[in-house]
C-alpha cells in the first residue's frame, strides 16, 4: 500500500513536471492523436474495403484495435520508466542513484517515468472500443465488463513484461534491441487484429512467447460472442492470467539482472 | 572495531576496445581499479580521499555505498556489508555526487524533498524538524519553491546536500562536491559540512581534487593511486613529506650588488626585489638569512610554503601516478 502511494505521488510529481512546458505538451499530445488516428484510419479503410476478415466484421475489428490501443498506451502512460526511459537511465548513471535508495529497483524505475501525451492514444482506443461494441451489437453484462477489465489489466502486465526483456538486455549493456522490439511494437501492430487471421508460426509466437492472443483475443472474441477456436467461456477468465505470469517471470529475471549490474558496472 | 573497516578490497573492470582493422574480435582489457585497498575510519571522522583521475576513488565510494559488488576483499560499515541487503544498508548512508543530480529536475525542490520523505519512510514530525534545521543551515529558505533546473550550481549543490541528509544518515559520501562552485559557495558548503559533522557526529568521506577542501575540512587524508593506498594520515604530515621547496621574497631598501647563492637556489631580481626558492633540507634557513642580510638593508620579507596543488602534483609525480 505504501509502495502504491509512493508510485502515485511520484507519477503526480512527474506530471507536474511535464506541465511545466504547456505548449510543448499540447503540441506533442496533438501529434500523438494524429499518429494513433492514422493507425485507426488503416482499420477504417480495411473495414471499408473488405467488410469482413475471416468471420470478423468491421465492428469486431474496431473492438480488437481498441483493446490493443487502450492496453498498450495505458502501459506507456503509467509505465514509461520501463517502456521508454530505462536505457537512458543505464547510460546516464541515473540507475546508480536509484540503487542508493531503500526501495526495490523495479518500483523506483516504474516511479520515474510517465508519458501523459499518450492520453489521446488511449482516448482513440476507447472510442474504437465503443464504436466496435456498438457496431457488433455487444450486450454488456457484468461478466463481460469484468472480462474486459481483466483483459486490459493482464495485457498491460504482459506489455510491461515484454519491455522488461529490453531492460534486461540494457543491464547487460547490449544495445541492439531490435529483436525485442519485434515482440513489443511488433506485437502491438500485429495483435490489433485477431490472431486467427495469421499463419501458424505467428500464431504460436503471439500465443506462447508474447501471449497477446491469450490476454486479449480470447476474452475479446468471447465478449463479441464468437469464442476464439470455440473455446468454453471459462477460458476467457483464465487465459489472460498468462500476462501476469510473463510479468512475474520478467520481474524475477530483471532482479537477477540488477545483481549482475552491481557486480560489473563501472 | 572501527565504524568503517575495509580489508583488501579488489575490483576490476573489463573494457572493450574498438575493434582494430584486420582483426576479427574486439580486444578486451581488464582494468584493475582497486588492487587490495585497506583502511578503517572511526565514527565521526571527516576523511578526505584524494588521488588523480582514475585512481579508484569513485569505485571505492560506489562499493562502500552498495552500488557495486567488489571482486574480493571485505568491507563492513557500521557492522553491515554494503553490497548485501542493499535496501537495509542504504537507509543509513547518504551520497552526494558533484556531477549527478538525485533530485527531480522540473519540480520545486520542496516537492523533491517530500517525495524523499516517502521513499525513506521518514515520520512526518521527524521530517519537519530535520527539514527546518537543514533549510536554516543551508540557507534554502528562499529557493524551496523554485524548480531545480532554475537554480544556480551552488544552490543546486546545497539542495542536493539537504536531500541526501533528510533521513539522518550516519555516514555521508561526497564525490567531488565542490566541483565548479564559486569561492563563496565553496566556503558555505565547507562550513555546513563542518557543522553537520560536529552537530550530529555524521561520519563524512569526501573525494575531491580541491586541496582547499581537504585543508579546510579533513583531519585525515588518504591518497589513492593506481588502485592502491599510498598515504594515510594528517594533511600536514603529507605535505611535509613532499614540501621540499619554499619561496622567499625580499625587498631591499637600496640597490644592492647581486648576491651569489650556493647551488640549488634559484633567484631572480626585479629592481630592488629578490625572489628565490630554496630547499631547507639543502641550505639551512639560518645560513640563507645570513647571506641575505649581508647583501644589504632588508626592508620587507615574506616566506611562503609552496602551493598545495603544486605539492600534490609533485607528489603524484614522485609516486609515479
Amino acid at each position: 500500500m505504501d509502495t502504491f502511494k509512493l508510485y502515485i505521488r511520484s507519477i503526480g510529481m512527474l506530471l507536474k513536471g511535464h506541465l511545466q512546458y504547456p505548449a510543448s505538451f499540447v503540441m506533442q499530445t496533438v501529434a500523438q492523436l494524429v499518429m494513433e488516428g492514422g493507425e485507426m484510419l488503416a482499420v477504417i479503410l480495411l473495414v471499408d474495403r473488405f467488410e469482413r476478415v475471416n468471420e470478423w466484421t468491421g465492428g469486431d475489428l474496431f473492438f480488437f484495435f481498441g483493446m490493443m490501443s487502450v492496453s498498450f498506451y495505458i502501459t506507456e502512460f503509467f509505465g514509461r520508466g520501463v517502456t521508454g526511459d530505462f536505457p537512458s537511465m543505464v547510460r546516464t548513471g541515473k540507475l546508480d542513484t536509484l540503487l542508493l535508495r531503500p526501495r526495490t529497483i523495479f518500483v523506483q524505475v516504474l516511479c520515474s517515468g510517465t508519458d501523459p501525451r499518450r492520453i489521446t492514444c488511449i482516448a482513440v482506443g476507447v472510442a474504437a472500443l465503443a464504436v466496435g461494441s456498438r457496431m457488433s451489437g455487444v450486450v454488456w453484462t457484468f461478466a463481460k465488463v469484468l472480462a474486459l477489465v481483466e483483459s486490459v489489466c493482464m495485457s498491460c502486465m504482459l506489455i510491461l513484461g515484454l519491455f522488461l526483456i529490453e531492460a534486461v538486455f540494457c543491464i547487460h549493456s547490449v544495445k541492439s534491441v531490435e529483436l525485442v522490439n519485434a515482440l513489443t511494437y511488433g506485437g502491438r501492430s500485429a495483435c490489433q487484429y485477431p490472431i486467427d487471421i495469421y499463419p501458424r508460426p505467428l500464431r504460436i509466437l503471439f500465443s506462447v512467447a508474447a501471449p497477446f492472443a491469450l490476454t486479449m483475443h480470447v476474452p475479446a472474441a468471447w465478449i463479441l460472442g464468437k469464442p476464439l477456436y470455440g473455446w468454453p467461456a471459462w477460458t476467457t477468465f483464465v487465459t489472460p492470467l498468462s500476462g501476469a505470469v510473463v510479468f512475474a517471470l520478467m520481474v524475477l529475471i530483471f532482479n537477477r539482472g540488477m545483481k549482475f549490474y552491481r557486480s560489473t558496472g563501472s | 572495531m572501527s565504524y568503517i573497516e575495509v580489508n583488501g578490497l579488489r575490483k576490476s573492470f573489463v573494457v572493450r576496445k574498438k575493434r582494430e582493422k584486420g582483426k576479427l574480435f574486439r580486444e578486451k582489457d581488464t582494468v584493475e581499479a582497486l588492487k587490495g585497498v585497506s583502511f578503517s575510519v572511526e565514527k565521526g571522522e571527516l576523511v578526505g580521499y584524494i588521488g588523480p583521475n582514475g585512481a579508484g576513488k569513485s569505485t571505492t565510494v560506489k562499493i562502500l555505498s552498495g552500488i557495486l559488488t567488489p571482486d574480493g576483499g571485505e568491507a563492513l560499515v557500521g557492522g553491515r556489508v554494503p553490497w548485501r541487503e542493499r535496501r537495509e544498508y542504504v537507509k543509513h548512508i547518504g551520497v552526494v555526487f558533484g556531477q549527478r543530480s538525485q533530485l527531480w529536475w522540473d519540480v520545486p525542490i520542496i516537492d523533491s524533498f517530500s517525495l524523499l520523505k516517502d521513499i525513506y519512510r521518514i515520520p512526518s514530525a521527524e521530517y519537519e524538524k530535520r527539514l527546518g534545521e537543514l533549510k536554516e543551515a543551508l540557507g534554502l529558505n528562499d529557493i524551496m519553491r523554485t524548480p531545480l533546473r532554475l537554480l544556480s550550481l551552488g544552490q543546486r549543490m546545497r539542495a542536493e546536500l539537504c536531500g541526501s541528509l533528510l533521513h539522518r544518515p550516519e555516514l555521508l559520501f561526497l564525490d567531488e562536491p565542490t566541483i565548479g562552485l564559486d569561492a563563496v559557495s565553496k566556503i558555505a558548503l565547507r562550513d555546513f559540512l563542518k557543522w553537520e559533522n560536529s552537530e550530529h557526529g555524521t561520519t563524512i568521506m569526501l573525494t575531491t581534487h580541491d586541496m582547499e577542501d581537504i585543508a579546510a575540512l579533513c583531519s585525515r587524508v588518504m591518497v589513492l593511486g593506481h588502485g592502491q593506498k599510498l598515504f594515510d594520515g594528517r594533511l600536514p604530515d603529507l605535505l611535509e613529506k613532499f614540501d621540499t621547496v619554499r619561496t622567499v621574497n625580499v625587498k631591499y631598501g637600496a640597490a644592492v650588488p647581486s648576491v651569489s647563492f650556493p647551488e640549488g637556489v634559484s633567484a631572480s631580481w626585479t629592481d630592488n626585489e629578490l625572489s628565490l626558492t630554496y630547499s631547507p633540507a639543502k641550505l639551512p634557513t639560518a645560513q640563507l638569512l645570513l647571506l641575505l642580510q649581508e647583501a644589504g638593508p632588508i626592508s620587507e620579507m615574506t616566506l611562503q610554503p609552496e602551493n598545495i596543488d603544486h605539492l600534490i602534483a609533485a607528489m603524484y609525480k614522485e609516486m609515479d601516478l
Side-chain angles (χ1 to χ4, degrees), chain A residues 191 195 200-215 217-218 228-229 231 239 242 246:
Chain A
C191 294
I195 190 75
R200 200 180 165 80
L202 278 180
R203 282 215 299 257
I204 292 174
L205 177 68
F206 291 116
S207 303
V208 181
F212 285 106
L214 299 183
T215 65
H217 297 157
V218 172
L228 198 66
Y229 311 130
W231 283 356
T239 60
S242 59
V246 169

Side-chain angles (χ1 to χ4, degrees), chain A residues 2-3 5-6 9-10 13-14 16-18 20-21 92-94 96-105 108 111 173 259 261-266, chain B residues 11 13 62 65-69 71 82-84 86-87 90-91 93 95 97 100-102 104 106-107 111-112 114-116 118-121 147 149:
Chain A
D2 175 50
T3 303
K5 189 183 135 207
L6 176 69
R9 292 211 50 197
S10 305
M13 206 169 75
L14 291 173
K16 233 163 101 183
H18 274 285
Q20 293 265 316
Y21 313 91
T92 59
K94 188 174 174 205
D96 286 357
T97 64
L98 298 188
L99 281 164
L100 295 171
R101 295 184 180 148
R103 298 286 188 154
T104 55
I105 296 305
Q108 290 194 70
C111 282
S173 56
K259 285 222 176 84
Y261 176 79
R262 287 170 65 203
S263 61
T264 56
S266 61
Chain B
K11 179 77 191 174
F13 299 115
K62 281 183 178 179
S65 55
I67 295 178
L68 282 182
T69 312
D71 298 338
W83 54 91
R84 297 216 184 96
R86 176 189 70 80
R87 271 192 285 160
V90 296
K91 283 181 196 166
I93 64 163
V95 185
F97 295 109
R100 192 176 290 166
S101 178
Q102 295 186 70
W104 286 258
D106 282 322
V107 294
D111 290 358
S112 285
S114 110
L115 199 61
L116 284 172
D118 286 358
I119 290 177
Y120 283 96
R121 301 185 171 97
R149 74 188 146 89

